[in-house]
Amino acid sequence: MEQPAISVQNLSAGYGSRTILENISFDIPGGQIVTILGGSGCGKSTLMKHMIGLYSPIAGDVLIHGKSIVRSEGDRKRAIMRQFGVAYQGGALFRSLSLAENIALPLEEHTKMSKAEIRDKVREKLKLVNLDGYQDYMPSDLSGGMVKRAAFARSLALDPDILFFDEPSAGLDPLSSASLDKLILDIREKTGATIIVVTHELESIFAIADRAVMLDAKTKGIIADGPPLELKNHSSNPFVRLFLNRGHDPAVHQQ
């Protein structure tokens, strides 16, 4: 069998004496778009931060292409982390830098590319997210949707094969959200990347996800894992059906 891009193994995570996630496990094959969803406080962002190596778990492991990010340190850990790109909820762009300078940062830090090569790479990534020609714009000059696109471009700078997007549609109007959903699908098609999206936006989940992994604050675990439409209509868990149908349970009306 082909090795999964990401393998979460018996992961328990929390802060101080508080456990948020308890003994969860799942694999993500290469090339999938997977959404992490659930109610407030269920651990969506906590899971993502452990998957990208920002936090150490209470127990368990996270493997990136078979290599443990939990048990790696120093250069070994940094080498694993360079295999993925991350776009945070607010964009996390440096406001004092232009878009080109923001996207160039990881290239300047992690490669030996020349200035001309970096310039070409920056333009390539901006073109991929439909921001070609905006190299010299400052983040404050952009709309919310454009800032999100610029954050995507920066996450793509090192040509990672795994991408993490944290609440990409948060704060956007419906048209901008739909445009961003299409962009995520385009990025997967053009790069073949594995994409993990933390979100609570149901329309986005149904538009982009091959698979949804649903967390639950009460059980501190995974209560659903599968294609979103299948979970919406046929999950054996009533809460999952209610969540994905905005409080309406199709199973009740089919009886």
Side-chain angles (χ1 to χ4, degrees), residues 11-61:
L11 184 77
S12 294
Y15 307 100
S17 61
R18 184 186 176 204
T19 301
I20 307 294
L21 300 169
E22 196 164 61
N23 198 35
I24 67 170
S25 298
F26 62 97
D27 291 342
I28 300 178
Q32 274 195 352
I33 297 179
V34 177
T35 53
I36 308 294
L37 64 146
S40 298
C42 69
K44 298 186 295 292
S45 293
T46 295
L47 175 57
M48 190 191 87
K49 289 171 183 175
H50 281 77
M51 291 170 75
I52 64 177
L54 288 184
Y55 296 151
S56 297
I58 296 169
D61 207 348

Side-chain angles (χ1 to χ4, degrees), residues 63-82:
L63 306 184
I64 306 296
H65 294 304
K67 296 181 179 179
S68 171
I69 196 169
V70 173
R71 291 180 280 109
S72 298
E73 297 179 350
D75 289 342
R76 286 182 61 191
K77 185 171 183 177
R78 284 188 286 272
I80 294 171
M81 294 175 74
R82 281 198 292 271

Side-chain angles (χ1 to χ4, degrees), residues 199-211:
T199 184
H200 64 276
E201 301 285 347
L202 292 183
E203 288 191 12
S204 291
I205 292 166
F206 295 123
I208 66 173
D210 300 308
R211 176 178 165 205

